[in-house]
């Protein structure tokens, strides 16, 4: 993995270039439509372009993040009932990117739920999907890492798929608390082989980090 900044980062200023931000805005302003839901591996649609999968514990804010990224209010419906999503949901973004909403994990007894929901179909999807460029693993910035989070990271390492940690609900933390959380998350990333070194800090409430994450995903679509 390269240790220099990606070419869409302005290294002299330490932030994304205006061109990269605008490219991200344009892509995620495109029409985004649900086109397939798969409850079994054999139901997964044929690869049709670059895929980005979104994973996380139940109620981590996955639906809210998808809605914020695409500027929709109900693209992915949030639910107060943990574990409601039980299938892979595929969304086409402007014919250039496929967003995949994965079932939540860990809503009952941590690693047991990971084994029940993820060791079969989800692992096979992750390991065998040639167009899957990255998995975004969402973690709630307000809570400590759970056993299920570590189990999923281990599973992603075994599947040899690049994944990137995204901290959600950052608006609920003070700047000092957020800095501590980011530091501990970066330390966690360093001990996992398939984890991308860049951690995103986001909030669907105040839109923190949304433009930057759009730009990162747009780079993968190119």
């Amino acid at each position: 993995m390269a240790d220099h900044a990606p070419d869409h980062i302005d290294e002299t200023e330490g932030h994304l270039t205006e061109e990269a931000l605008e490219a991200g805005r344009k892509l995620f302003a495109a029409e985004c439509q649900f086109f397939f839901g798969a409850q079994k591996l054999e139901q997964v649609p044929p690869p049709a372009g670059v895929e980005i999968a979104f994973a996380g514990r139940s109620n981590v804010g996955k639906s809210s993040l998808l809605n914020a990224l695409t500027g929709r209010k109900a693209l992915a419906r949030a639910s107060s009932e943990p574990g409601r999503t039980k299938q892979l949901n595929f969304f086409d973004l402007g014919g250039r990117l496929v967003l995949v909403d994965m079932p939540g994990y860990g809503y009952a007894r941590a690693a047991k739920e990971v084994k029940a929901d993820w060791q079969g179909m989800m692992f096979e999807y992750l390991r065998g999907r040639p167009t899957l460029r990255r998995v975004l693993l969402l973690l709630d910035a307000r809570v400590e890492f759970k056993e299920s989070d570590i189990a999923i990271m281990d599973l992603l390492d075994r599947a040899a798929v690049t994944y990137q940690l995204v901290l959600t609900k950052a608006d609920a933390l003070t700047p000092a608390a957020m800095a501590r959380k980011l530091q501990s998350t970066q330390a966690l990333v360093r001990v996992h082989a398939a984890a991308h070194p860049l951690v995103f800090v986001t909030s669907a409430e105040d839109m923190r980090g949304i433009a930057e994450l759009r730009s990162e995903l747009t780079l993968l679509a190119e």
Side-chain angles (χ1 to χ4, degrees):
M1 225 172 255
D3 57 5
H4 62 277
D7 58 9
H8 64 302
I9 299 290
D10 182 341
E11 294 186 73
T12 60
E13 296 294 330
H15 57 70
L16 288 162
T17 63
E18 289 299 321
E19 292 82 1
L21 290 170
E22 178 61 12
R25 185 197 67 79
K26 284 183 176 180
L27 175 57
F28 280 85
E31 185 176 9
C32 189
Q33 290 189 330
F34 169 82
F35 71 92
F36 209 89
Q39 293 184 336
K40 298 179 180 179
L41 189 63
E42 57 266 28
Q43 296 174 343
V44 172
V50 173
E51 293 179 2
I52 305 295
F54 292 73
R57 262 185 289 119
S58 299
N59 290 344
V60 74
K62 191 152 45 72
S63 295
S64 297
L65 182 67
L66 277 165
N67 291 335
L69 284 168
T70 58
R72 272 73 172 178
K73 291 184 178 180
L75 178 72
R77 293 188 181 277
S79 172
S80 59
E81 180 186 349
R84 181 174 177 179
T85 301
K86 288 293 187 182
Q87 64 181 17
L88 292 167
N89 291 316
F90 292 78
F91 300 86
D92 176 77
L93 179 62
R96 292 182 55 198
L97 198 61
V98 176
L99 310 180
V100 185
D101 187 9
M102 303 189 75
Y105 62 82
Y107 60 87
R109 289 183 173 81
K112 288 185 179 180
E113 286 301 325
V114 172
K115 290 178 182 177
D117 296 339
W118 279 71
Q119 292 286 8
M121 174 187 172
M122 297 307 147
F123 182 74
E124 292 303 319
Y125 164 74
L126 294 167
R127 185 175 61 176
R129 194 68 168 172
T131 51
L132 180 62
R133 287 291 303 276
R134 189 162 301 173
V135 175
L136 297 185
L137 180 57
L138 279 54
L139 300 173
D140 190 330
R142 305 170 302 173
V143 300
E144 295 300 316
F145 304 123
K146 303 292 186 181
E147 180 184 355
S148 55
D149 298 324
I150 306 303
I152 286 293
M153 294 181 74
D154 290 340
L155 183 147
L156 290 166
D157 287 338
R158 294 199 305 275
V161 57
T162 301
Y163 61 97
Q164 194 160 16
L165 299 191
V166 178
L167 295 173
T168 63
K169 307 182 183 183
D171 58 287
L173 275 70
T174 65
M178 190 65 250
R180 290 193 296 272
K181 183 66 175 185
L182 180 59
Q183 186 176 35
S184 64
T185 305
Q186 289 169 333
L188 181 62
V189 162
R190 286 193 288 270
V191 298
H192 284 271
H196 191 283
L198 178 62
V199 176
F200 276 93
V201 175
T202 67
S203 166
E205 291 296 320
D206 62 18
M207 299 298 284
R208 186 180 320 180
I210 297 300
E212 291 79 6
L213 185 52
R214 286 171 179 160
S215 297
E216 176 80 3
L217 300 183
T218 299
L219 184 70
L220 296 175
E222 293 174 354

